[in-house]
Every structure is written in structure tokens, then in C-alpha cells.
Amino acid sequence: MTSTLSEARRAELDSVAARADAAAAPYAATAPGERAAALVAVADTLAAHAAELVALGMAETGLTEARLNGELTRTAVQLRLFADVVRDGGYLDARIDAADGDFVLGARPDVRRVLTALGPVVNFAASNFPFAFSVAGGDTAAALAAGCPVILKGHSGHPRLGARTAELVAAALDGAGMPDGTFQFILGQQEGVAILQDPRVRAGSFTGSIPAGRLLADIAAARPAPIPFFGELGSVNPVFVTPAAIAERGAAIAAGYVASVAGSAGQLCTKPGFVFVPAGHGLAAAISDAAESVAPHRLLNPRIAAGFGARRAEIFQTPGVSVLAEGELNEDQDGQGWATVTIVSVSAETLRAQRERLLEEAFGPLSILVEYPADADLAGLVAELFEGNLTATVHIGAGEDSAELRELVRVLSGHAGRVLFDGWPTGVAVTPAMQHGGPWPATTNDSSTSVGTAAISRFLRGVAYQSTPQALLPAPLQDANPWNVPQSFAPAGQSRSWGSAS
Amino acid sequence: MTSTLSEARRAELDSVAARADAAAAPYAATAPGERAAALVAVADTLAAHAAELVALGMAETGLTEARLNGELTRTAVQLRLFADVVRDGGYLDARIDAADGDFVLGARPDVRRVLTALGPVVNFAASNFPFAFSVAGGDTAAALAAGCPVILKGHSGHPRLGARTAELVAAALDGAGMPDGTFQFILGQQEGVAILQDPRVRAGSFTGSIPAGRLLADIAAARPAPIPFFGELGSVNPVFVTPAAIAERGAAIAAGYVASVAGSAGQLCTKPGFVFVPAGHGLAAAISDAAESVAPHRLLNPRIAAGFGARRAEIFQTPGVSVLAEGELNEDQDGQGWATVTIVSVSAETLRAQRERLLEEAFGPLSILVEYPADADLAGLVAELFEGNLTATVHIGAGEDSAELRELVRVLSGHAGRVLFDGWPTGVAVTPAMQHGGPWPATTNDSSTSVGTAAISRFLRGVAYQSTPQALLPAPLQDANPWNVPQSFAPAGQSRSWGSAS
């Protein structure tokens, strides 16, 4: 990727990186109460400007007012949740091992360990979540909570919304007394790459397509000093429905399926792309009827509409594919695509035979119903067909249990970051226990999550302090514990009994 | 790197990966008590075979009996410590968020999250720690504790010790009822690369040189499905001594310095490579005398001896370098190198001017004393000269404190995984709070540690379960909590007050 950035633009980016670098130490040193208040100030300003921001988002993305209002609220709630995480301090994993003259390997010094901010983070905004995975979204909230300055690379699909949101975020942080440079906003692909390559930047995060995410992950890994890169990329979110579930609530499953595919015009990374149902399921008419009642929804931008059209055509042309609900894709006078829901069906055998054409994600309101025979080995199909996914779903009958079901759940938990039952994967709860991640290509790095409070850990590194005078220890490791964070202790005298319970 | 592996050898490696893959599910499913007992069984067998193993190690590495006995004990203790970690279960970070009809973003389902084993891990043994960072060393202990099968790539410097240790480890795991394939041993560089590239392998770890570690990290990152790679590479471990420390205990500092450089012939990743002392320190004679009293020590192998000789010659020939203790490097009749301690001194200005020649790690018993002027900005020197390090050390006077000292400590904590006071960085306590890591090039991935109980996290990934029937939940997430692990709860009804404390 050859850069054509001008000298002047490079100088601007250099100053962006320099500001973030200068902010890193003072921002990391902010006390929990100050940093938490700053996060809440960001949440408050988003909420206070909801009408303006949602209107901008509607114009730039075609997403609905209801969806964008919900997403903005979610984004603000996420910041408030992280404020509590910061105040609690458990994320610091503060450990204090007492000096131990009787240590089994010879005298142990006083050793203390805390997790600390990595430094400046570049966060690449997503096209399809202009709030929750963009300027003030999950990775920004997690990085700011961790004490890392953020350089936000806005998405070309909503540049005005991005710039306006960034202005509000920066002003809120400034108003809360955070250092200059704690949050900065840039636009441009080459600009994003240049920042990702800057030695002062210590981590990257991204939500988007597999090709773009892989390109950036490779750039991060190829730096003279490699940095962690957390990309959330593609996912087809397979769903498995048992005969018992169909028998109990087939109609509800059909309706829920179509609603999950239709929401936000299917432009969600958790859209159920493949739904496995037993042959003879009898849901075709219900699915088709539900799909036909869905009103057209604008796709995010013409590029995505074109991509969806091509993918849909490729699927239609694949041998063995039956169309359950054809759906529509029309272009308006502005060149924007408008789509309704497309559902096709295939046999499991066809899916296996045509995997090269069918398995790739279709980003938009299209899903593939896969009919499996009574003797199908679903766990085996998962292992054979699917790479990593953000989610995997199982619909079962009340109290259903079997060795096959357990094996399916086990295999799915190895393939996906979230396994859910009797529901639909769209809709990701912002809650402490959420895992939004998964093995490649769901993410470039499955060691953390991009939703939920555990997301803070991706922007932290451990530092141990040995025999350090109290006055020179970071606050979370001091005996006086001025921030009142959880500290775990390993007292002297324990090491000789390590392992003795086993 | 073109592979010249034969078809037959490739088939063998394929079967190694297949065995590890087959072991992954049953091994990950072992109950904490079983897995902990297996780790203790490995520790017990190492201890029971100490005499045999240490003799093998002495012959292959030239390390002393005392050192190897200590290292073997440390390795066994590390396994016992991880047995307790497994029994405790806190590492699973089990989180349970109750279903919440009043959730601020719309009804929240029951969401639970646990950390789970990544799958098969390939661990590359180190030359310089034939026990503690080799077959049954830290990464093996952490991976086994996490529930990951291990494929151990032995080091060419101690292949017989490696194979024998591996035999004992595998037998102990087998005797403890662990699945076939939980632990396997291979030799050969190309073999290691082939396993690292195998899609069934989910993580890699390594301790060794920067070029080899970077090569492997790049291979891991370039896989069709990239995997985390935890390489511990190079470190020069700068030490800063204040005038007050010299005044209080100059002689002890001189003696401690030389002992730290001399131990294991300086072939430790934590050897103090640069010691900054105030100009006019007056320790030259004490350092020189101490160095001259050190007996020759065999270097690990002829390749390392040759590398040390070349590096030492380059340093001697660098303008501005004064020799405090010349030391010796002689070759014996077997081609092995024997070295005593070399200490040279330079001014801080010379170090800055000659950084290209001087800053690179010298692997062996050589260290550079750097004399700084009274007005030196030590924190600025660190930022200017040093990349990431495993450790950074400060020697201060009793109660010494100043803005400059605080700034130095702050900068060091950004450059190193462990900051220690009034001691020497060699000797890494195996204890819960240890951090053995650091920014590039100390490691390829500073998100975890290779010593201490937090090391287990590098081999784990999060999985969330949503609305999952109790019977289908993994044990740590069940309400009945059959493994009695710590579970953190987010009850219903809290979300509306998130952030309200701020």
C-alpha cells in the first residue's frame, strides 16, 4: 500500500501522534474518580445532543431513527458502565506478594503487579454502527477507561457525524479536565494507516470487513515494533434448530428469524447467515410470508449495496439454491440501494458441495436456510464448514438434552465467542459478561472482547514493581491503597505448601 | 524460509498436530482437581529424576550443578503453583449477569462468560534455561494449567535432556489420566515452523533471540488464520544508580553488579547490560577486582560463544570505550567457549554517540558501565536510548525521593515489565505478582507474562453463553458451581444506575 499523503498531511499526522503521546502519561495518571467522571461527561454530551446526532446519522447511513436512538443510548450506557469499571478498579488486577524470607526458592522480595495503560490507541470506526462501534463506541470507551489516549479514524460512510461526535467527545473530555490530546479524530484510509504505523501508537482496533481488517492487522504485525491489533471482521453466525424446537414454536422461530435478518437491513455482524433446520420443517411459507412483509430499507452506502447485489446474485446462481423469499434490491435517484429480505434454502449436502460460493458472508438482508437430514451430524458439519464466528445459536425444545446436543454446544463454543439459546444473535447486550469476539475471521485476535467490561483488558499491560518504596509505587499497589481498589495478597510462608492440595 | 522436510517427516508432524487436536477437547474438559493433580505429578517426576536430569543438563549446556538444581526446583515449584491456580479457578473469570427485564437498553437475557482453553499450543524451548523455559517450563505449565495440549519444540542445545524430560512429562500426564496427546515433543527448526503453521495449533510461545523470535512471530501473524505468539526475546535491563546509593553502599553495589553479570556466565535475559552511575562514582577498582575474581564459566554452546566473542570485540573497538575488567574468552578442546566477566565503561555521551554499536544485547558475561554527569536527565536518556526491556532497576539512597526520580520510575515502567529497586534483575521470583515481559523487543506481545500466575491468561479466550440451560453450561458457569470457582454476579436492576457514582 503506497502512501500518497502530502508532506503537509504527514506533518499534521505527526502532530496528532505527538499530541496523543504527550497526553499518554498525564491521562494514564488520572485518578479513577476523575477518569470515570470524564466518561460520564462524554455519555452526557451524547445524550444531550441525541437529536442532532441521530439526524446526521440518518442522513449519512440510512439507518432508522429508532435504531440510531437506541444505538446512541447504548453507546452512552456503555460509557457509564465503564465509568463504574474504572471506579471499581478490579480491572487493574492489583497483586501484592509479600517479601518472604522462607520462600521455597530462596528469599522472595516484595513483588507487586498492576495492569497499566498501553499508550495511544488508534480506533477505526465501523460503517454499520455510527455510534456504538465508531467515535465514542466500545473500543473508545474501553481505551479511555484503560487510560489510553484515542486517535479515532472516522469512517467515510458518516464523516460529518463522526466529526461532530468527535468534537463533542473532545469538548467533554476537555471540560472534565482531561489532558489535551486525550481524544483526536482523523479521516482518511492512508491517514489511518500512517497513524497505525506511528511508533508512538501502541494498539489498534477496528470493526469492518475481512480484507480491510486483515490488511491493517498485517500492517500492525509488520511494524518494526509490532503492536496488538483487535479487528472484528466477518461472521456468518450459524443457527441450529432442532426438530423439538420446530414442533414447539415453529411459527415464532420463522418470525424471529426474518426479523433478525431484516433488522438494520441485515447490516449487522451478528446477522444469522445460516439457519439449519430439519428437513420437512414446514416453515417455508411462514418465512416467506414474514419476509415479504418487510419494508424496503436503505443500505448504508452505494458500495455496500453493490457488494450485496453481487453476493446475492452469486448465491441465486449457485446450483441447488432455492429461493424462499426473493426480496428486492433497488437503486434510488441518489444511487443508494434499498433492500428487502432475501431468504434462500439449500440442503446441507448442497452447502457442503457449494461451500466456496455459499459460505462467505453476505453483508445485507440475506440468509440461507439449510435443511439437514434426520441423521445429520451437526457438530461435524460445524467443524467441517465453519471458521470462527462471533456467535452461534441453538434452538432446542424445552428440557431437550442429548449427547449430540452437548457435542454440538461444545464444538460451537470452540468456533464462536457467544453461544446462545432459543433467541437470535442480533442484539448484543452491553453487560459485564458479554463476549463479542471469536476465532479468526470473526476477529484478528481472540484474546479479548469488543463489548462488555472485559474489553478494557485489551488496552492494558502488566508491570511488576519489586522492593519498591511506598512513595514510588503506583497508587493501586500502595499499602495505603488510596484509590481503594481490590488488591489480592500472597502472604509470606505459603510457597512450601503450593500444590499440596493436589 | 523454504522447508526441506521430507514427506515422511511431514506425515509425522501431521500426526503430532492431529494427536494434540484430538486431546484438546477432553483435556480442556478435565476437572480442576484432576488437572491440578496432573501438574503436581509432573513436578514430582521432575524432582524424583533431578540427579539424572541435572547431569544431562550439565553435559549439554555447561551450566553448573547448583544452577541447574535450582532451576529444576523452580520448574517444579512453578507447576505446583499452577496446580493451585487451577484448583482456585479465579483465572476462569466466571461472570454471571442475571436476566434483567428492567435493563436500561431493553430486556437483558441471562449472559455468562468464562475463559476457556485456546487449544493446542506450540512452545519453543530456550537454550539458556533447559528446565524453567524449556520442556516443562513456564509456558508449558501455563498452557497445561489453562487446559491446552502442548507440543514442545526442544532446543538443539540440549536435545537429550529435552527428550528425556519430555518422556517423563508425558508419562506423568498419562499416569494422571490425562488424554493421549496432551504433551508431545519434537525437535528441529523446520519442524517447529511446520507445527506453528498447522491450522490445528492455536498459539505459540518462544524464548530466544530477537531474529528467531521475530521470524516466528511473523510466521504466526501471516498464517491464513493468525494466532497469538508470545515470544520473549532480547533485553538489556538498564540499571540506574543515584549518588546517594553510591554514597551509602558503593562497595555492595559493585559486588552485586559483578555477581549479577557473572551468574550463569551472563546468559540470562535479565542480565544488567547497562549500569548508569554518576561520574566520579569511585567504584572502578571494586568492580574490576570483583570481576577478576570470577572463575571461567562455559558458555552454552560454540555458536553462543562465537556470538559473544564477536559482540565483545565490537564493543572493545568502539571509540570511547574504556575497559574496566577485560575478562577472558577461551576455547577448550571441545570447541566450547569459557568466559570470565568483562566490564567496560563509557560516558553517557559516548553511549548516545555510539548507540548503533553499543546498545544491542551482548549475550554473555559482559556489561557496560555508563557514567552520567551530575545534571543528566536520566528519564530523557531512557526515552531516547532504550526500547522495551524485561526489567529496569533503580538503586537509590534510603528514603530518597525527588521529582526527577519519580519521572525516571514512570518512564521505566513504560519501558519495562518489571521495575525493581536496590537489587539486581537476575533472579525472577516465581510468584503470583511476577511480570516477566515488556514492550518490543523484550517480547513480541506485551499483553501477558511468561512467569507468574497471570501467565495462564495467554492461553485462554472468552466465551459467553446466553440463555443457556443449566445442563448445557460449562461447570464454572452453572448456578450449582460444581467446581466451586469464584463467580462474579451482576444482578438485575443495576443498569439504570451505571455511572451515577460519577
Side-chain angles (χ1 to χ4, degrees), chain A residues 196-199 219-227, chain B residues 210 214 218 387 440-441:
Chain A
L196 183 64
Q197 291 176 319
D198 191 286
I219 287 170
R223 287 168 41 125
I227 54 173
Chain B
I210 293 178
R214 182 65 191 244
D218 288 347
E387 296 187 284
W440 171 267

Side-chain angles (χ1 to χ4, degrees), chain B residues 7-22:
Chain B
E7 279 298 309
R9 190 72 182 122
R10 288 193 170 278
E12 283 170 14
L13 293 169
D14 182 72
S15 113
V16 166
R19 274 181 77 201
D21 190 45

